[in-house]
């Protein structure tokens, strides 16, 4: 790898090229462990050294934790620059023109539950496809389902997910008319009736919720983005020269439109950084197409790639690249590593549960290790942890690294990895269609898990019922995998 020194920091030729680049719009595709944050810090340092006022650099990331981490890394380079989250930026813009407060998260739940228990025709929207084919006593079956509080909670969560995606994808009241027209054209009569009832129910909930927010001068997290975007469009914003966005692969449509409106008003240059292979927040509204088709939103966008990884070995690069690129929606890229481990993936089989092999695993752990599961409940599978081990979900591990990784819950069940829980058929109206590859999001999740390690990965697998992802990497990359 070709490298060069800057202030005692080593940067490679790809990082150097990005730091020198002067494109109006720039997308930096940064693979796992490629020095993304270092590149951002030195890009900002370079801009300031060339005379750009730090206050005219708008630096945005997605979580408070990530914003704090980047802020501290900038301070180490004597750069005092506020790093905002999208929501803190939105709130700042809104509160400059009006006084608002954040609504409690459970208010939407309260309104949804009230409507569910007051809806006489609720049994007609039960999301069970077999109902349409008259198998068994469907009325009795529906009534039994409705008596089950778990189903009501499931329906509540479906409606809440619908409205969260509805607002994050910038839909409005008139969108319900388009949804109903689509339903009428695409579905046969029984399904059409069910979808119409659902859409009208959600529309009524949306209207009540929005009326409540307006009358009490409250906003939710989506309003922070949507309202601030409208304010910028109408009234303008502080004259930024540069907009720098970290973790751009997590961007939703409304966040993209906010940035576009800021750029339209300020003529600022855009630098977006991220990795489409690590886009794992579709359920919060992130839209892969905003990353993979960035030129649709920001014309003449230059695309540069960080091609060296300083975390994972070359053999693990080959395993994970082959695995992720099975999805044709992902952007092809070259990743190189200077380190080598002949067999970086170790599979330990058990017959019934992890307890059978856990002592063997723990005896090997004497360095910082993440134990990663698909769900919070997976923690219950683990008998105990030693002082070097930390359990977390794969989602929580994103952006972090450890000396060693252990991945659990690699069975072929509904709640394992990949999760077989399908989105409700009703969410198709509001969810991104850019990633229709089977288990696309789950595939990226497994990729994230595999690439947290600085050495090797241990997979704990049920012998007679292995995850389909484990079966796939065994079939395609067996020479890099050690079986125990």
């Amino acid at each position: 790898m070709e490298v060069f020194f800057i202030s005692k920091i080593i940067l490679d030729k790809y990082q150097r090229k990005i730091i020198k680049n002067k494109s109006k719009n720039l997308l930096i595709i940064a693979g796992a462990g490629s020095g993304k944050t270092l590149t951002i810090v030195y890009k900002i340092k370079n801009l300031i050294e060339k005379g750009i006022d730090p206050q005219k650099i708008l630096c945005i990331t997605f979580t408070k934790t990530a914003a704090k981490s980047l802020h501290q890394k900038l301070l180490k380079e004597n750069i005092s620059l506020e790093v905002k989250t999208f929501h803190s930026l939105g709130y700042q813009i809104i509160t400059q023109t009006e006084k608002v407060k954040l609504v409690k998260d459970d208010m939407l739940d309260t309104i949804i539950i009230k409507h569910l228990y007051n809806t006489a025709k609720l049994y007609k929207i039960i999301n069970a496809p077999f109902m349409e084919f008259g198998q068994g006593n469907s009325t009795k079956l529906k009534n039994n389902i409705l008596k089950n509080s778990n189903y009501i909670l499931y329906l509540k969560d479906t409606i809440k997910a619908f409205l969260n995606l509805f607002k994050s994808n910038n839909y409005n009241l008139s969108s319900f008319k388009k949804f109903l027209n689509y339903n009428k054209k695409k579905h046969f009569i029984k399904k059409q009736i069910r979808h119409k009832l659902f859409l009208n129910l959600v529309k009524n909930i949306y209207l009540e919720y929005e009326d409540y927010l307006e009358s009490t001068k409250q906003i939710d997290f989506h309003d922070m983005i949507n309202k601030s975007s409208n304010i910028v469009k109408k009234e303008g914003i502080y004259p930024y020269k540069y907009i720098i966005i970290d973790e751009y692969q997590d961007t939703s449509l409304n966040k993209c439109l906010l940035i576009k409106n800021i750029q339209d008003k300020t003529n600022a240059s855009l630098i977006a950084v991220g990795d489409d292979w690590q886009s794992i927040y579709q359920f919060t509204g992130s839209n892969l197409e905003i990353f993979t088709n960035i030129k649709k939103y920001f014309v003449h966008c230059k695309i540069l790639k960080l091609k060296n990884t300083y975390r994972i070995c070359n053999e693990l690069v080959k395993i994970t690249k082959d695995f992720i690129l099975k999805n044709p929606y992902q952007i092809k890229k070259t990743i190189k590593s200077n380190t080598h481990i002949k067999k970086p993936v170790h599979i330990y089989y058990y017959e019934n549960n992890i307890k059978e092999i856990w002592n063997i695993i723990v005896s090997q752990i004497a360095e910082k290790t993440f134990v990663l599961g698909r769900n919070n409940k997976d923690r219950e599978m683990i008998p105990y942890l030693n002082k070097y081990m930390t359990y977390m979900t794969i989602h929580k591990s994103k952006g972090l690294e450890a000396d060693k990784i252990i991945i659990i819950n690699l069975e072929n069940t509904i709640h394992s990895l990949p999760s077989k829980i399908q989105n409700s058929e009703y969410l198709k109206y509001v969810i991104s269609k850019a990633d229709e590859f089977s288990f696309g999001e789950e595939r990226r999740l497994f990729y994230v898990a595999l690439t947290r390690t600085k050495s090797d990965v241990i997979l704990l697998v049920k012998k007679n019922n292995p995850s389909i992802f484990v079966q796939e990497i065994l079939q395609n990359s067996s020479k890099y995998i050690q079986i125990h």
Side-chain angles (χ1 to χ4, degrees):
M1 294 178 188
E2 179 190 338
V3 297
F4 84 109
F5 291 83
I6 180 168
S7 303
K8 298 181 181 179
I9 298 292
I10 299 175
L11 299 176
D12 65 34
K13 64 180 181 180
Y14 306 108
Q15 294 168 326
R16 184 181 181 182
K17 186 176 182 180
I18 287 164
I19 289 166
K20 288 184 172 183
N21 187 271
K22 296 179 181 179
S23 299
K24 176 72 174 178
N25 295 319
L26 174 64
L27 175 64
I28 302 166
I29 302 179
S34 61
K36 167 178 70 76
T37 305
L38 184 70
T39 306
I40 293 172
V41 168
Y42 278 90
K43 181 71 175 176
I44 292 170
K45 187 179 177 74
N46 181 260
L47 292 174
I48 293 169
E49 286 173 352
K50 290 186 179 300
I52 300 296
D53 182 348
Q55 294 206 351
K56 294 203 172 179
I57 300 173
L58 175 59
C59 190
I60 312 169
T61 190
F62 281 79
T63 66
K64 289 180 182 178
T65 303
K68 184 179 178 181
S69 174
L70 181 54
H71 176 69
Q72 289 173 340
K73 286 171 183 172
L74 287 165
L75 284 177
K76 286 181 181 178
E77 295 296 326
N78 298 313
I79 299 169
S80 181
L81 175 67
E82 183 184 3
V83 181
K84 303 177 191 292
T85 65
F86 269 99
H87 291 114
S88 67
L89 170 65
Y91 189 74
Q92 178 185 321
I93 293 168
I94 294 168
T95 51
Q96 286 174 353
T97 59
E98 59 179 308
K99 191 175 181 180
V100 293
K101 58 183 179 179
L102 185 63
V103 69
K104 290 182 178 178
D105 188 54
D106 62 359
M107 179 49 63
L108 180 54
D109 296 72
T110 302
I111 292 172
I112 293 171
I113 290 291
K114 185 188 80 171
H115 277 263
L116 288 180
Y117 282 115
N118 287 344
T119 304
K121 294 180 180 178
L122 189 59
Y123 74 94
K124 289 188 177 178
I125 64 171
I126 288 174
N127 189 7
F130 56 82
M131 298 290 186
E132 294 181 11
F133 302 104
Q135 295 181 11
N137 187 332
S138 61
T139 302
K140 184 178 179 181
L141 187 55
K142 287 177 180 177
N143 288 335
N144 285 338
I145 291 173
L146 286 175
K147 288 175 185 174
N148 186 335
S149 60
N150 287 334
Y151 180 74
I152 296 297
L153 289 174
Y154 165 76
L155 196 53
K156 184 264 293 181
D157 289 343
T158 299
I159 293 170
K160 189 173 183 178
F162 185 102
L163 288 174
N164 282 329
L165 290 164
F166 181 89
K167 295 184 79 168
S168 69
N169 282 307
N170 214 42
Y171 292 112
N172 54 41
L173 187 59
S174 65
S175 302
F176 282 103
K177 187 175 181 180
K178 294 176 184 175
F179 297 158
L180 288 165
N181 285 337
Y182 176 88
N183 175 44
K184 194 172 182 180
K185 290 177 184 176
K186 295 291 183 180
H187 298 143
F188 291 114
I189 189 67
K190 285 192 177 181
K191 191 171 186 178
Q192 188 184 121
I193 291 169
R194 191 170 80 242
H195 278 237
K196 183 179 179 181
L197 287 168
F198 177 85
L199 290 168
N200 284 329
L201 170 62
V202 175
K203 180 182 175 182
N204 289 333
I205 291 168
Y206 171 74
L207 286 169
E208 181 173 337
Y209 178 59
E210 292 298 304
D211 285 347
Y212 172 82
L213 292 176
E214 189 172 345
S215 64
T216 58
K217 292 191 175 179
Q218 296 185 75
I219 57 174
D220 61 21
F221 283 109
H222 304 297
D223 295 328
M224 284 185 188
I225 309 302
N226 297 336
K227 288 181 179 291
S228 61
S229 187
N230 290 334
I231 290 169
V232 169
K233 196 171 185 178
K234 292 176 185 175
E235 302 178 21
I237 193 173
Y238 182 82
Y240 292 108
K241 293 285 187 184
Y242 283 87
I243 305 166
I244 298 175
I245 308 173
D246 191 14
E247 304 290 359
Y248 185 71
Q249 76 280 346
D250 296 331
T251 305
S252 57
L253 180 60
N254 60 351
K255 293 183 180 79
C256 175
L257 294 176
L258 170 60
I259 295 304
K260 191 154 179 40
N261 286 339
I262 293 173
Q263 190 183 58
D264 287 346
K265 288 293 182 180
T266 63
N267 199 33
S269 295
L270 172 70
I271 302 166
V273 188
D275 182 10
D276 62 295
W277 294 7
Q278 298 183 69
S279 178
I280 57 173
Y281 288 103
Q282 188 184 60
F283 62 91
T284 66
S286 71
N287 186 334
L288 187 64
E289 191 259 351
I290 289 168
F291 188 100
T292 58
N293 195 16
I294 191 171
K295 292 180 182 181
K296 174 181 174 182
Y297 304 94
F298 301 98
V299 295
H300 310 304
C301 184
K302 177 81 172 175
I303 298 174
L304 295 176
K305 299 173 183 179
L306 292 173
K307 296 183 181 181
N308 294 326
T309 177
Y310 301 96
R311 182 189 303 151
I312 63 175
C313 66
N314 205 51
E315 291 74 13
L316 193 53
V317 166
K318 290 175 181 176
I319 295 171
T320 54
K321 181 181 176 182
D322 183 65
F323 177 78
I324 200 71
L325 287 180
K326 287 288 189 297
N327 183 347
Y329 288 98
Q330 307 294 166
I331 296 172
K332 290 180 174 63
K333 56 179 175 279
T334 300
I335 300 177
K336 298 174 287 185
S337 173
N338 268 356
T339 61
H340 293 272
I341 301 173
K342 284 186 178 180
K343 293 182 183 286
V345 174
H346 299 260
I347 295 178
Y348 284 80
Y349 287 111
Y350 56 89
E351 297 289 342
N352 298 305
N353 60 64
I354 285 174
K355 293 177 184 177
E356 299 163 18
I357 57 172
W358 190 247
N359 288 342
I360 297 170
I361 302 300
V362 174
S363 66
Q364 302 176 35
I365 306 302
E367 53 195 346
K368 182 181 176 182
T369 299
F370 293 157
V371 182
L372 302 181
R374 175 64 181 82
N375 315 294
N376 285 316
K377 285 194 72 175
D378 291 351
R379 173 66 180 83
E380 298 170 9
M381 300 174 71
I382 306 166
Y384 64 95
L385 298 170
N386 72 20
K387 67 178 180 178
Y388 302 103
M389 303 164 79
T390 305
Y391 176 79
M392 64 182 74
T393 63
I394 301 170
H395 282 99
K396 288 284 185 184
S397 75
K398 186 170 172 292
L400 304 177
E401 64 180 22
D403 298 308
K404 193 182 290 286
I405 294 294
I406 300 169
I407 307 176
I408 64 173
N409 197 8
L410 291 172
E411 301 181 15
N412 189 15
T413 64
I414 292 175
H415 297 285
S416 61
L417 183 67
S419 170
K420 310 294 192 309
I421 298 173
Q422 295 186 351
N423 288 323
S424 166
E425 60 181 303
Y426 298 126
L427 295 184
K428 70 179 181 183
Y429 295 98
V430 288
I431 208 162
S432 165
K433 294 177 178 61
D435 184 11
E436 295 175 343
F437 188 72
S438 179
F439 298 121
E441 182 107 339
E442 296 293 306
R443 184 172 289 268
R444 292 190 293 273
L445 201 59
F446 192 42
Y447 173 84
V448 167
L450 290 169
T451 56
R452 297 310 91 201
T453 185
K454 292 196 282 184
S455 58
D456 52 11
V457 181
I458 295 173
L459 309 181
L460 304 187
V461 182
K462 194 164 188 178
K463 191 169 187 178
N464 61 0
N465 193 33
S467 161
I468 59 173
F469 284 171
V470 173
Q471 295 177 56
E472 183 179 322
I473 64 168
L474 269 172
Q475 183 177 348
N476 298 326
S477 305
S478 60
K479 66 180 179 178
Y480 303 123
I481 299 172
Q482 179 72 51
I483 307 293
H484 296 267

